[in-house]
Every structure is written in structure tokens, then in C-alpha cells.
């Protein structure tokens, strides 16, 4: 009978009331913690506007652009008319933002439409991680600590920098904790960039948590296949994997690479046994290769960056020595993972070889323009390594109080930077949209056609696409570059319109621009021709913000 067995861990812990109470209380604490984080980071409303925090402040408007456009213009129109690069198709995994757009179309506020799916996905991820860890390791105590180690991870190097800053500034410890100006899990100057999962992946890159959750379901069935070598489990793994490209591309590629390495491992073990070899090849071709070709290939074609292809990129950031780089970024984890690998059963070691292959590929091949995006592959390696750590914790826990104390010490050493970063996130708050932005968005939604194209500044917190759901000629350049698009020509054309209003007709027709925004964002991005407001009709004016109609 096919089940994804939450009941396995539930039956185990329900038979022990103390253990059940610990898991239940931990889950509730996770819920309180993540609710506070999501609530403060996803459009928290204050009298002067909508607030976010830290990296979410930079990424959320891009997700809102897709969600708002889905809500107001529908799926087909949005996918064929990118709201932040008008006239082009969307080349980004869009399903999580489509869910938010669907909720908004049903009447949910933008805050609830983005907050609730993210929060529920996080809580589902924690539950799935407990289940998968328990399924693989059969260790309740090890599984309990797996999400803690994963979610609150971070290079111990960051702790040294925090202590150094604390001593230098001479402030009380509580003040230093509550007023951190630095993300100590991401210190680019020190080349410590494999940062905390919560602050730099789950919260700002909201598709990531959806991908991780579905990915864990896939890992569960991949492990079942590795245990029993049944065709059904391999097929289910493949089908779940094929649900990932439009949700989170990096998780799909990561698990696909792991599966490929495991296939190669099977081949190597039986390469002298022709009959068995043929059976294994046939099994993988039918139950893995065929679903990928039929179901996933088209999705990959739809969203893979248009003018970029994978290329060699030796060393994680090219300029860094890989050995020194990973020593700094995985300082305490390296000996812990090695020890866990040594105590893990042989079947898991052969399974983990796929994760090692992923780690190597992540350091050798660049899949997208931004090298930092390769950290998403390393996060999957890190996740499976944290599951493997449960073997070590179980081994230590069952061998006396001294070793139990050692296991707790290891956990304490693995999570301080993540705790520091979490305290920082809980105390961060930055205004994302002002009341004036919200009023402008209300006007645009109410008084302009849904298919309007706007010329605006290049600021990322742009109410035109984030709140009003309209397309712009070009949005924030950082997003455009990461999508594999070339925005240099458009930026030059936009500059010509803003700086020379009377000769802008050809460019306005080229991009079918219906409205021009003159505001603080445009003024920071371009020099504004004073004649611009006299050349076109003003249809909205509030403070320093103007909306000009070109047609």
C-alpha cells in the first residue's frame, strides 16, 4: 500500500508520552517562530506604509510582480508578457507566485496571499524533514535535531566576527544581539557566503521552501527505491521530481543529478553481470528517463534562462581556493559530516555518494549567470548531510551520558550563527512601500487598462508592477540579469525617453508605452527632462509623483 508515512514517526513518538510532548512542543515553537518571521517580513502594515525586512525587502517585490499580474491579468497573459520586462515570456519558476495570485483573485489581501502559503510550506517542510530523517535513520533523537541543524546552520567563522565586533564596540551583550548591523552568516569580504538557510533562502526566495518540501517527498521515494529496488518507488520519485521545474528549478536539477549518480553507482556495481546490467538500465530508462523527457523537458525549456547555458566554473566563486573556501564556510560541519558518514550504514553511504556528486557539480558547473545561485545546489547537499548527521547523534546518544553530552556540544557548535541571524531577522524592519506608493497603485488599478505598459524607474520596490500588477518596460536590473535577459538596450532607450521628451515617439511606439511615471524612483534612475510633463497629458499628480499618458 502506497503511503507517505507521517504515521511512522507519529506511532513511534505517541508510544512515548515524553517523546511525543517534546516533538509537539518543538513543532509549536517552530510555528510561533516562523509565524513571527513571516508576519514581520511579508507586507506588515504600519501607519506610513507596508514593511518588510532584510533580504525579503529586496526579493519580495519581484514575487509580488508575478502574483499581482496573475491575479489581475491571468496566467496566460502574464506568462507571455513578463511584468518586469514587457513583451517577453516569463522564464522563472512561477507556481508559488501563481498560488498567491490565485488567492488574490479570490479576494485575499496581498499580505495574506504571500504570508500564508509561505508559512504553511515551512511548517510542512519541517514535518516532512522529520519523517524523511526518521525513515532513513530510524532515529527519533537524531531526526528531532535534523531541522534544527539545517535551519539554524551557518559558518562558525561568523561567530568569530560577531565576538570581534562585540568586543570592539563595547556594548552590552543584549544590545549587541538586538542591534546587529551585519548578517554574520554572509560575510562577502571574508568569502563566507554559504549563508543561513532561513535568512537567505527560505524567507526571501519563497519558491525555495516549496521546492524543498516537494523535494523531500521525492527523496523519501528515492530512498525507498534504494532500499527495495522496486520499479514503483522509482516511478513515484520521478513523477514527484517532474512536479518541480515550475516550482523550483534548482531542487529539480539537484535531485536529478543525485539520481543520475545513483544510477551510475548501480551500473558500476553490476557492470560484469550483463543480464542484471540490462535490467537496471531498462528500469532507469523507463521509470526515470521517460517521465523526465515526457513531463519535465518542456517545463525546463519554458523557464531556463534564454541566452545562458551551463558552463565550467571551477571553484565555487572562481577566485576562491575551493579547499580554503569550504573550510571557512563549513568549518564545524566538515568533521561532523565525515564522522556521520563513517558511522552510517553502507546502504546510506552509497545513497549519499549522489549528494557528494552534487557537491562536486555545484563547484564545477555554473548553471545561471549569478554564481551565488550555485549555493542552492549546495543547500540540497547540506540538507542530506544534516539527515546523515542523525546517524552520528544516534550513535553518540545510545553510548552513555558522556557521549550524549558530546552530541549536544556538537549541536550547539553547529547552530550559533543561525541563532544570531534569526535574532537579527526578528528585529529587522524596513519600509517597502509608502502610503503614496499604495495610493498610486490604487489609481493605476482603478483607472488604467490591465494591458497597459508603463515606463518607470529601475527601483526594485516599484508599486506599478508589485502592487498594481501592470507591466513595465524594464524592472530592477538585478532581476533581469539573473533571468538571463539583456536589459542594456532597454535601459538606454528608457534613458532617451526621460531625457529627451520631444524625440521619444519612436521608442514609445517600439515598446507600446501607454504611461510614464515621474517619481523619486525615476529621478534616481534617470535625468528627467523638464519638458516631459508638458509633452504628455498628466492623469495623476500627488506630491512629486506624476503619471503621464502617452496615448
Amino acid at each position: 500500500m502506497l503511503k507517505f508515512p507521517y504515521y511512522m514517526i507519529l506511532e513511534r513518538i505517541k508510544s512515548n508520552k515524553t517523546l511525543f510532548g517534546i516533538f509537539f512542543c518543538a513543532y509549536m515553537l517552530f510555528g510561533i517562530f516562523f509565524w513571527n518571521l513571516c508576519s514581520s517580513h511579508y507586507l506588515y502594515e504600519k501607519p506610513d506604509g507596508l514593511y518588510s525586512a532584510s533580504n525579503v525587502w529586496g526579493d519580495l517585490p519581484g514575487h509580488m510582480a508575478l502574483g499581482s499580474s496573475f491575479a489581475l491579468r491571468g496566467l496566460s497573459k502574464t506568462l507571455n508578457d513578463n511584468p518586469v520586462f514587457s513583451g517577453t515570456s516569463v522564464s522563472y519558476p512561477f507556481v508559488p507566485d501563481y498560488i498567491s495570485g490565485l488567492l488574490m483573485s479570490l479576494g485575499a489581501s496581498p499580505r495574506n496571499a504571500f504570508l500564508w502559503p509561505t508559512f504553511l510550506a515551512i511548517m510542512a517542510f519541517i514535518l516532512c524533514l522529520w519523517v524523511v530523517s526518521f525513515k532513513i535513520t530510524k532515529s527519533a533523537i537524531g531526526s528531532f535535531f535534523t531541522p534544527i541543524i539545517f535551519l539554524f546552520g551557518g559558518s562558525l567563522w561568523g561567530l568569530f566576527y560577531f565576538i570581534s565586533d562585540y568586543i570592539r564596540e563595547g556594548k552590552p551583550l543584549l544590545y549587541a544581539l538586538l542591534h546587529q548591523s551585519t548578517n554574520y552568516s554572509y560575510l562577502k569580504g571574508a568569502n563566507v557566503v554559504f549563508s543561513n538557510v532561513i535568512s537567505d533562502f527560505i524567507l526571501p526566495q519563497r519558491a525555495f521552501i516549496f521546492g524543498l518540501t516537494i523535494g523531500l517527498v521525492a527523496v523519501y521515494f528515492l530512498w525507498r527505491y534504494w532500499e527495495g529496488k522496486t520499479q514503483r518507488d522509482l516511478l513515484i520519485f520521478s513523477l514527484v521530481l517532474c512536479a518541480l521545474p515550475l516550482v523550483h528549478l534548482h531542487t529539480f536539477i539537484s535531485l536529478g543529478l543525485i539520481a543520475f549518480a545513483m544510477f551510475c553507482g548501480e551500473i558500476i556495481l553490476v557492470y560484469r553481470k550483463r543480464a542484471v546490467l540490462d535490467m537496471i538500465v531498462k528500469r532507469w530508462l523507463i521509470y526515470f528517463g521517460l517521465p523526465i523527457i515526457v513531463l519535465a523537458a518542456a517545463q525546463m525549456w519554458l523557464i531556463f534562462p534564454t541566452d545562458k547555458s551551463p558552463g565550467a566554473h571551477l571553484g565555487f566563486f572562481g577566485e576562491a581556493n575551493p579547499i580554503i573556501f569550504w573550510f571557512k564556510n563549513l568549518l564545524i560541519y566538515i568533521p561532523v559530516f565525515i564522522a556521520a558518514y563513517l558511522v552510517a550504514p553502507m546502504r546510506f553511504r552509497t545513497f549519499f555518494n549522489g549528494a557528494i556528486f552534487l557537491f562536486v557539480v555545484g563547484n564545477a558547473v555554473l548553471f545561471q549567470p549569478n554564481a551565488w545561485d550555485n549555493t542552492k545546489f549546495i543547500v540540497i547537499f547540506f540538507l542530506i548531510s544534516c539527515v546523515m548527521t542523525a546517524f552520528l547523534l544516534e550513535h553518540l546518544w545510545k553510548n552513555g551520558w558522556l557521549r550524549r553530552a558530546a552530541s549536544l556540544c556538537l549541536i550547539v557548535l553547529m547552530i550559533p550563527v543561525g541563532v544570531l541571524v534569526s535574532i537579527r531577522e526578528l528585529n529587522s524592519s524596513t519600509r517597502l512601500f509608502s502610503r503614496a506608493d499604495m495610493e498610486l497603485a490604487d489609481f493605476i488599478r482603478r483607472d488604467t487598462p490591465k494591458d497597459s505598459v508603463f515606463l518607470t524607474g529601475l527601483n526594485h520596490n516599484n508599486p506599478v508592477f508589485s502592487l498594481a500588477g501592470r507591466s513595465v518596460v524594464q524592472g530592477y536590473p538585478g532581476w533581469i540579469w539573473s533571468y538571463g535577459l539583456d536589459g542594456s538596450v532597454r535601459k538606454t532607450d528608457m534613458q532617451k525617453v526621460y531625457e529627451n521628451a520631444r524625440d521619444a515617439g519612436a521608442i514609445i511606439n517600439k515598446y507600446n508605452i501607454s504611461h510614464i511615471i515621474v517619481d523619486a524612483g525615476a529621478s534616481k534612475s534617470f535625468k528627467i527632462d523638464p519638458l516631459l510633463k508638458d509633452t504628455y497629458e498628466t492623469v495623476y499628480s500627488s506630491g512629486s509623483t506624476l503619471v503621464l499618458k502617452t496615448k
Side-chain angles (χ1 to χ4, degrees), residues 264-280:
C264 293
E266 278 200 80
I267 294 298
I268 291 171
L269 289 174
V270 300
Y271 75 97
R272 291 183 176 178
K273 302 176 181 178
R274 184 57 185 267
V276 179
L277 179 64
D278 290 345
M279 180 187 68
I280 290 174

Side-chain angles (χ1 to χ4, degrees), residues 412-471:
V412 169
L413 288 173
M414 286 189 282
I415 67 172
V417 173
V419 172
L420 280 176
V421 172
S422 297
I423 293 172
R424 180 176 182 266
E425 292 290 336
L426 286 169
N427 289 278
S428 297
S429 183
T430 306
R431 191 173 71 179
L432 186 58
F433 298 107
S434 66
R435 284 291 167 188
D437 292 332
M438 297 167 69
E439 292 170 1
L440 172 61
D442 287 340
F443 165 78
I444 293 173
R445 282 196 303 268
R446 183 182 64 248
D447 293 330
T448 67
K450 293 180 181 180
D451 59 353
S452 300
V453 177
F454 282 72
L455 181 68
T456 70
L458 299 174
N459 51 307
H460 79 289
N461 55 338
N462 191 323
V464 174
F465 53 70
S466 294
L467 296 177
R470 299 298 189 262
S471 290

